[in-house]
Amino acid sequence: MHMLTYLQQFNPVFQALVGGCFTWGVTALGAAAVFCTLKVNKKLMDFMLGFAAGVMIAASFWSLLAPAIEMSKELPIPSWVPAAVGFFLGGLVLRLIDMVLPHLHGGLSAGQAEGIKTSWQRTTLLVLAITLHNIPEGLAVGVAFGAASAGLPSATLIAAVALTIGIGLQNFPEGLAVSMALRREGISRFRAFWYGQLSGLVEPIAAVAGVLAVVTIKSILPYSLAFAAGAMIFVVIEDVVPESQRHGNIDLATGGAMIGFIVMMILDVALG
C-alpha cells in the first residue's frame, strides 16, 4: 500500500513508464537464466508458456475488456460496441504487423519466417518475434494506468498495478524462452541474454505510447482498453499456445494456462 501511495504522487505517464520498465526487467531476469543452466526441461518450459498464456487471457478480460464495457455504459451507444470494435482492431493491427515485420517463431526453420522476405539472420528474426509479442503487453500497461488517471470506478491504480504484476510474471518464461532459443543457435550466453532482454525494451516504450494516447484523447479510453485486449489475445492464440504445445506436452501446457488464468484473476479481483 505504501508503494501505491508513492505512485499516486506521479502523473500517469511516469507511472506507465515505471510499469513498463518493471515488465522489461522481469523479461531481462528470465533471459538471465541462460547463465545458470545448460538446458531447460521442455516440460517445465511448456508449463511456463502455458502459464503465460493463462495470465494474458485473464488480463485481457478482467483488466481490459471488463472495464471497457463498464465505461461504455455511460456512452450513448450499446455498451458492447467499443469493446467489440477495439478488440477487433487490436487483433487486426497485430495481424498486419505480423504480415509485414520479418520474424521467426521458435522451433521453425529460417525458410518458415513470416513477414516480408529478408536476408536477416535467424537470431534477429527470433528476437523480432518476441519483440512483436511484447508490444500489446506494453500497451496494456500504459492504457491501464491511463484509465486509472481518469478517475473512473471501474479502473483503479491498484488494478493497473495488478495488471503490471501479472504481465511481469508471464514475461519471465518469455525472456527465458528467447534466450535459450538463441543459445541453441550457437551464440554466446552473454549475447543470448543481451538479445533476450532487448526484446522486452519495447514494453516501456509501448506503455508510454498507450498512456499518452488515452490521456490526450480520453474519449478513446474504452476502445484503447479493448484494443490492448485484442492484441494480447491475438498473440496468445497465434503463438504462445501453439509454442507451449509444440513438444507434445498438451495437458501440462493446458494445466499451466489454467493456473495462470487463476493467478491473474485473483490478482485483479483481490487487488483491484
Side-chain angles (χ1 to χ4, degrees), residues 50-151:
F51 178 89
V55 167
M56 293 174 75
I57 292 171
S60 295
F61 176 73
W62 296 100
S63 300
L64 300 170
L65 279 176
I69 294 171
E70 189 65 28
M71 292 175 193
S72 301
K73 291 179 180 179
E74 301 176 4
L75 301 178
I77 55 175
S79 60
W80 54 265
V81 170
V85 171
F87 188 87
F88 174 77
L89 289 176
L92 177 62
V93 169
L94 258 290
R95 174 54 183 157
L96 293 175
I97 296 175
D98 206 47
M99 292 170 61
V100 175
L101 183 69
H103 62 284
L104 178 66
H105 300 298
L108 301 181
S109 65
Q112 295 174 292
E114 298 180 22
I116 60 175
K117 298 299 180 182
T118 179
S119 59
W120 292 349
Q121 292 184 348
R122 177 182 168 88
T123 52
T124 302
L125 296 173
L126 286 167
V127 172
L128 284 175
I130 301 298
T131 302
L132 173 62
H133 298 165
N134 285 334
I135 293 174
E137 296 168 8
L139 281 174
V141 170
V143 170
F145 280 104
S149 71

Side-chain angles (χ1 to χ4, degrees), residues 1 13 30 36 41 60-61 64 86 104 129 132-133 178 237 240 246:
M1 290 303 174
V13 176
C36 306
N41 183 280
S60 295
F61 176 73
L64 300 170
L104 178 66
L132 173 62
H133 298 165
V178 68
I237 298 175
V240 180
R246 187 164 58 86

Side-chain angles (χ1 to χ4, degrees), residues 142-255:
V143 170
F145 280 104
S149 71
L152 299 169
S154 55
T156 62
L157 180 59
I158 195 168
V161 171
L163 172 65
T164 303
I165 293 172
I167 289 179
L169 285 174
Q170 63 89 35
N171 272 0
F172 184 87
E174 285 190 354
L176 175 59
V178 68
S179 64
M180 294 305 296
L182 293 172
R183 179 64 178 156
R184 286 195 296 270
E185 294 298 314
I187 70 174
S188 68
R189 291 180 188 276
F190 179 78
R191 287 182 63 201
F193 161 74
W194 178 254
Y195 290 130
Q197 66 82 29
L198 201 61
S199 69
L201 179 59
V202 70
E203 293 207 13
I205 298 172
V208 170
V211 71
L212 285 175
V214 300
V215 168
T216 305
I217 314 173
K218 291 188 177 181
S219 60
I220 68 169
L221 184 50
Y223 294 92
S224 299
L225 287 165
F227 180 95
M232 285 216 295
I233 291 297
F234 179 91
V235 167
V236 170
I237 298 175
E238 201 259 358
D239 186 59
V240 180
V241 169
E243 175 67 16
S244 71
Q245 300 183 352
R246 187 164 58 86
H247 299 112
N249 299 312
I250 297 176
D251 291 338
L252 196 61
T254 302

